[in-house]
Amino acid sequence: MRWPRLLWLQALLWFCLPAEAHQINLVTARLALTGERMVSVELGLKGSDVDRLAGTKTYDVRQDAVDPAAVDAARAAILAYLATHLAVTAGGTACAPGDAAILPDGDGIIYRNSFACANLAGDIVYHSTVLTERDKTARQVVLIAQGQSETQALLDAGTTAVTLSTAPPLFSTMQRYLLTGIEHIFLGYDHIAFLIAVVLWARRLVPVIKIVTAFTVAHSLTLSLAALDVLVIPSRIVEPAIAASIVFVAAENFFSRDIDRRWRVAFLFGLIHGFGFAGALREIGLPPDAIVPALAAFNIGVEIGQIAIVAVALPVLGLLDRLIARGRDEPARAAAIVYTMSAAIGLLGGYWLLTRMFEV
């Protein structure tokens, strides 16, 4: 048990000491994993080990230091070796590497690179046979940082990989997308404006249920088609169209009080709003191993948000009805309230329409 402990001590000394503290036959690695499944890798090696591995001449024994010019000249050879013996995978598929850097570091070199795993499903695993494939007595000490926590691992000729992150369970994935859907509807002020405008004349529950259901079915359909890349409409068309839908329903309140047929309008414009929801979903992406559950959870989250908005708006309108009725048995929806709110929503929708048209 003393040998591993000595290795840990060596590693801790390397992490704390200045640049010239690289140890022969010891690779030191720092890994950082972000919530976006991006892995940054920093590897440190002794210059003499680099020359043995890559067939280069960067290390000066007399100076016990590497020559920066020689390191720069040997960059391609060093990267070629590391590309063969180092990788980050997700679900068994290699994550896309970024632009690697090779830097002189006193008596050794530092390798830095990042690997993007966001579009791949499965466990994220760091693989390395750097130095250990050449020398069976060599070791690689790995420090893994994830958020506020840090862990350590030891790689050798027999252990060449360490798992950085396991794939999140299905429940966790669905919970994340459910909350994202709720968040999007509450932060999507244009969707809120449309929902309020379309129910302003409503005083009975059944028409409201029909409106919300029609809107949900419609936007769920186009959201799914767009999220799965079956039918994608550019945002330069979708965003102004959403604003135009708000202007339309706000203006319609001045000419029609037929709330029973409003579900048709909600369905028609729900198709357009679905493409807007898809744009937000596309920013975070769908997990390749749980596309359908994540998409369903996002839709449910949007629906929960819609119901919450309507559940607040209708009692407020009902309270205003009773205040204006002043004791009458059957308070009616005051036209002044509807017209005032519709005018305000219509002006807001018009502003969005103009700004979105001129943005493209």
Side-chain angles (χ1 to χ4, degrees), residues 19-20 22 45-47 50 59 65-66 71 103-110:
E20 56 272 12
H22 296 281
L45 295 93
K46 183 80 172 179
V50 173
Y59 180 69
V66 297
V71 171
L103 306 172
D105 188 48
D107 64 346
I109 66 103
I110 294 291

Side-chain angles (χ1 to χ4, degrees), residues 88-269:
V88 177
T89 64
T93 302
C95 300
D99 294 327
I102 298 292
L103 306 172
D105 188 48
D107 64 346
I109 66 103
I110 294 291
Y111 162 83
R112 289 180 183 148
N113 205 350
S114 59
F115 297 81
C117 307
N119 295 325
L120 299 174
D123 298 350
I124 298 177
V125 181
Y126 169 72
H127 306 263
S128 178
T129 57
V130 175
L131 190 58
T132 59
E133 54 82 30
R134 177 70 64 86
D135 189 337
K136 305 305 180 185
T137 64
R139 299 291 185 272
Q140 181 173 159
V141 178
V142 183
L143 178 66
I144 306 164
Q146 185 173 5
Q148 300 299 317
S149 64
E150 291 185 349
T151 56
Q152 293 174 322
L154 180 65
L155 303 183
D156 54 27
T159 304
T160 61
V162 58
T163 299
L164 308 184
S165 172
T166 57
L170 182 60
F171 176 78
S172 176
T173 298
M174 293 186 68
Q175 183 182 46
R176 175 193 172 198
Y177 281 86
L178 179 75
L179 294 175
T180 301
I182 296 173
E183 177 184 296
H184 180 69
I185 194 69
F186 279 118
L187 296 179
Y189 304 119
D190 47 359
H191 304 303
I192 294 175
F194 177 87
L195 280 171
I196 293 176
V198 84
V199 299
L200 278 177
W201 283 116
R203 298 189 64 249
R204 293 178 292 112
L205 185 59
V206 172
V208 173
I209 293 175
K210 290 167 65 177
I211 289 170
V212 173
T213 301
F215 186 68
T216 299
V217 170
H219 75 60
S220 297
L221 176 62
T222 50
L223 166 59
S224 301
L225 291 175
L228 298 174
D229 291 325
V230 176
L231 177 62
V232 179
I233 298 178
S235 61
R236 66 178 183 274
I237 297 174
V238 173
E239 294 304 319
I242 290 175
S245 73
I246 297 167
V247 174
F248 181 91
V249 293
E252 189 184 32
N253 284 331
F254 289 91
F255 305 103
S256 174
R257 302 186 184 188
D258 188 359
I259 197 68
D260 291 311
R261 297 183 181 180
R262 217 71 191 292
W263 67 269
R264 300 173 184 175
V265 174
F267 181 86
L268 176 63
F269 289 126

